[in-house]
Amino acid sequence: MTVTVDRSVEEFTAAPRQLFINGQWVSAASGKTFDTPNPATGETLAKVAEGDAQDIDRAVRAARSAFDDGPWGRLTPSERGRIIWKIGDLILEHAEELAQLESLDNGKPYPVALAADIPLAADMFHYMAGWATKIEGNTIDISVPYMPGANFHSYTLREPVGVVGQIIPWNFPLLMAAWKLAPALATGNVVVLKPAEQTPLTAVKLAELIAAAGVPDGVVNVVTGFGETAGAALAAHPHVDKVAFTGSTEVGRLILQAAAGNLKKVTLELGGKSPNIVFDDASPAAVEGAANAIFFNHGQCCVAGSRLFVQEGRFDEVVEGVAQIARSIRLGPGMESGTQMGPLVSDEQLRRVTGYLESGLADGATAVTGGARHGDTGYFVEPTVLTNTTPDMKVVREEIFGPVVVAAPFSSLDDIAAAANDTEYGLGAGIWTQDISKAHALAKKIRAGTIWINCYNVFDASLPFGGYKESGWGREMGREVLNNYTEVKAVTTLL
Ligand code: NAI
Ligand code: MG
């Protein structure tokens, strides 16, 4: 049985979707479009305008003049906050439509999109709406030793950075747009957003809702297109003040190079190879927790618990438990009821992930379960548990971004801290134990931006998220992200 697609979704995918620039829907300057496929079938889902450097330039100019001269900067913080709140409300009002679009375009199960992606996206706007009225500077009592006897009044202002280019991935398309747009707007910036070419549809729909919420023209512009053309042009544009990127570490480096031209500010949320550590004294819930850590969203999570470490005494039991869950997961199209895991997002990701599986098996790893593509239509991969790996294998070192976990035993707390940190990445980690001292001692030793104790994949708009090491620069969400979207100005008066 298949979940019925709403009329509004059918209409949305039937017409070619345009770019949203300066409050107007426009075709790409080149007139070109590209197809976004349904990953469950490989068939075209919708046609989307293929923006390139010319369109990015149009969008950046619109954003620049909206920032420099438009009504956006004249709104009170309270007015701005209420508009941002309204975006959250409109997302909830359109939750089913957005969840269907997300499921069709990305492949994730519809109930998951409806229960997680969409409400989390709405909550990010609601949470950030509150910050609009709470952006504050300080007054500072200064000393100035070379001006004895002088008195001063000094204070800081926190101002928007200006025109922000945002480049987002395909694993949580709407949610990543929300993570990026909501704090940028709360702090008074203007944005050119470039969604991932694999999953452009919910960002286009979101642009409609943003306009309906009353965001002035030019404040949010959405340019669909490819990374090498539209994305690269945005990262390099001389009138963009900041670029915020989520995606591969490889492209993160390209963004940095492109940003060097005008030294734009850069924040990066990149890959991971996060350890999930189960101690002998962990509760039985650790087994399901370990499975959820890797198989949620088909393993297409930057923070997936892709390196499972289990203390020796429980290794066989936990690995077999995770393998059993893997075997029981029902694969199918995201819009089919009963589906627990959908396809990977694209043919390219299917080839990438199965390439890793082949490499792991060729290097001598054992597939306790899974190990190959599932079926021959769509981009499905079997949930896989690999053992007998060594720390230097590609499957252990590199981000696979699919439903593939490598499992290894460990003996003591000291061994595990070193093994957990034996990676270029530092995004997240899970710790499963009933001994709170051990848990907190290990949490301190792990060099990663997020640590979950007796849970995994717990996200909240108020919790900062981001990476140590090669997992990125800066933090998303929470109060922390506001620093990445503001400049600080120190003002001093001689009294
Ligand atoms: P990617 O890093 O190429 O794509 C992410 C975004 O960057 C997309 O919007 C893309 O259009 C854009 N982009 C690509 N090349 C660009 C360039 N030269 N300049 C500016 N923007 C550019 O990721 P891709 O190829 O889709 O996936 C490859 C691997 O990246 C995955 O297997 C996974 O390991 C990792 N990845 C990590 C994500 C995360 O959440 N940290 C999300 C997506 C992918
Ligand atoms: Mg790429």
Side-chain angles (χ1 to χ4, degrees), residues 417-455:
N421 286 329
D422 180 18
T423 169
E424 286 73 46
Y425 293 115
L427 200 54
I431 300 173
W432 300 81
T433 173
Q434 308 209 34
D435 175 342
I436 56 165
S437 305
K438 192 159 67 183
H440 292 297
L442 183 56
K444 267 198 163 180
K445 288 186 179 175
I446 293 178
R447 300 201 23 90
T450 291
I451 311 279
W452 285 299
I453 298 172
N454 294 332
C455 58

Side-chain angles (χ1 to χ4, degrees), residues 22-48:
N22 210 17
Q24 308 293 313
W25 293 98
V26 294
S27 299
S30 67
K32 283 197 211 162
T33 62
F34 67 99
D35 294 343
T36 181
N38 175 341
T41 60
E43 286 161 16
T44 298
L45 173 64
K47 286 193 177 303
V48 180

Side-chain angles (χ1 to χ4, degrees), residues 197-198 228 248 250-251 348 352:
E197 53 269 40
Q198 296 84 350
E228 297 73 10
S248 62
E250 178 196 355
V251 172
E348 186 187 353
R352 195 189 294 260

Side-chain angles (χ1 to χ4, degrees), residues 346-413:
S346 65
D347 188 33
E348 186 187 353
Q349 286 305 112
L350 174 69
R351 280 184 274 117
R352 195 189 294 260
V353 172
T354 51
Y356 275 113
L357 289 173
E358 284 158 20
S359 131
L361 297 174
D363 286 346
T366 307
V368 180
T369 185
R373 183 178 181 185
H374 168 88
D376 50 18
T377 335
Y379 313 134
F380 297 90
V381 169
E382 295 172 344
T384 298
V385 179
L386 298 177
T387 55
N388 292 322
T389 56
T390 54
D392 57 328
M393 282 184 193
K394 264 178 70 155
V395 287
V396 175
R397 302 220 69 85
E398 297 179 16
E399 179 173 59
I400 298 177
F401 228 64
V404 182
V405 66
V406 295
F410 71 93
S411 52
S412 72
L413 187 67

Side-chain angles (χ1 to χ4, degrees), residues 136-150:
E136 297 173 343
N138 306 103
T139 56
I140 303 171
D141 196 9
I142 64 174
S143 303
V144 198
Y146 55 84
M147 293 176 74

Side-chain angles (χ1 to χ4, degrees), residues 74-433:
R74 294 192 293 272
L75 293 181
T76 65
S78 170
E79 287 167 333
R80 202 168 69 229
R82 273 178 284 162
I83 290 174
I84 298 167
W85 183 273
K86 178 88 178 149
I87 300 171
D89 285 350
L90 289 173
I91 289 174
L92 292 179
E93 276 172 35
H94 291 80
E96 285 168 14
E97 191 179 347
L98 286 163
Q100 289 176 16
L101 279 175
E102 205 75 311
S103 174
L104 289 166
D105 205 7
N106 164 280
K108 65 180 68 198
Y110 168 68
V112 173
L114 191 62
D117 297 62
I118 311 305
L120 281 171
D123 194 50
M124 183 58 60
F125 285 99
H126 286 148
Y127 171 86
M128 288 294 167
W131 276 119
T133 46
K134 296 160 198 75
I135 310 295
E136 297 173 343
N138 306 103
T139 56
I140 303 171
D141 196 9
I142 64 174
S143 303
V144 198
Y146 55 84
M147 293 176 74
N151 280 315
F152 298 94
H153 172 54
S154 290
Y155 61 92
T156 56
L157 293 173
R158 227 167 231 289
E159 299 180 337
V161 174
V163 177
V164 181
Q166 302 185 321
I167 301 172
I168 56 170
W170 41 260
N171 50 344
F172 296 90
L174 183 73
L175 185 57
M176 291 300 104
W179 279 24
K180 292 276 182 286
L181 285 165
L185 296 177
T187 42
N189 295 279
V190 299
V191 178
V192 177
L193 177 78
K194 210 287 291 168
E197 53 269 40
Q198 296 84 350
T199 55
L201 297 180
T202 47
V204 173
K205 183 73 202 171
L206 179 62
E208 279 181 29
L209 304 182
I210 283 174
V215 173
D217 292 350
V219 172
V220 173
N221 305 274
V222 176
V223 178
T224 47
F226 291 93
E228 297 73 10
T229 49
L234 185 55
H237 201 290
H239 297 144
V240 171
D241 300 300
K242 170 190 163 76
V243 61
F245 171 75
T246 298
S248 62
T249 297
E250 178 196 355
V251 172
R253 291 199 174 88
L254 295 176
I255 301 273
L256 268 188
Q257 288 164 15
N262 68 334
L263 289 172
K264 52 178 72 68
K265 311 288 183 261
V266 178
T267 45
L268 303 168
E269 203 260 273
L270 307 175
K273 191 76 182 176
S274 298
N276 194 22
I277 301 159
V278 181
F279 283 95
D280 276 345
D281 63 357
S283 88
V287 174
E288 208 182 319
N292 158 56
I294 183 63
F295 298 134
F296 176 64
N297 211 43
H298 329 165
Q300 301 170 134
C301 294
C302 48
V303 75
S306 51
R307 288 184 298 143
L308 174 61
F309 292 101
V310 186
Q311 203 164 9
E312 285 153 344
R314 298 274 300 277
F315 184 74
D316 291 346
E317 170 224 324
V318 171
V319 167
E320 186 45 38
V322 173
Q324 261 182 35
I325 293 174
R327 287 181 205 111
S328 75
I329 291 173
R330 184 152 153 201
L331 274 77
M335 289 297 284
E336 200 168 279
S337 40
T339 289
Q340 292 170 312
M341 186 185 282
L344 298 186
V345 74
S346 65
D347 188 33
E348 186 187 353
Q349 286 305 112
L350 174 69
R351 280 184 274 117
R352 195 189 294 260
V353 172
T354 51
Y356 275 113
L357 289 173
E358 284 158 20
S359 131
L361 297 174
D363 286 346
T366 307
V368 180
T369 185
R373 183 178 181 185
H374 168 88
D376 50 18
T377 335
Y379 313 134
F380 297 90
V381 169
E382 295 172 344
T384 298
V385 179
L386 298 177
T387 55
N388 292 322
T389 56
T390 54
D392 57 328
M393 282 184 193
K394 264 178 70 155
V395 287
V396 175
R397 302 220 69 85
E398 297 179 16
E399 179 173 59
I400 298 177
F401 228 64
V404 182
V405 66
V406 295
F410 71 93
S411 52
S412 72
L413 187 67
D414 288 337
D415 299 345
I416 190 55
N421 286 329
D422 180 18
T423 169
E424 286 73 46
Y425 293 115
L427 200 54
I431 300 173
W432 300 81
T433 173

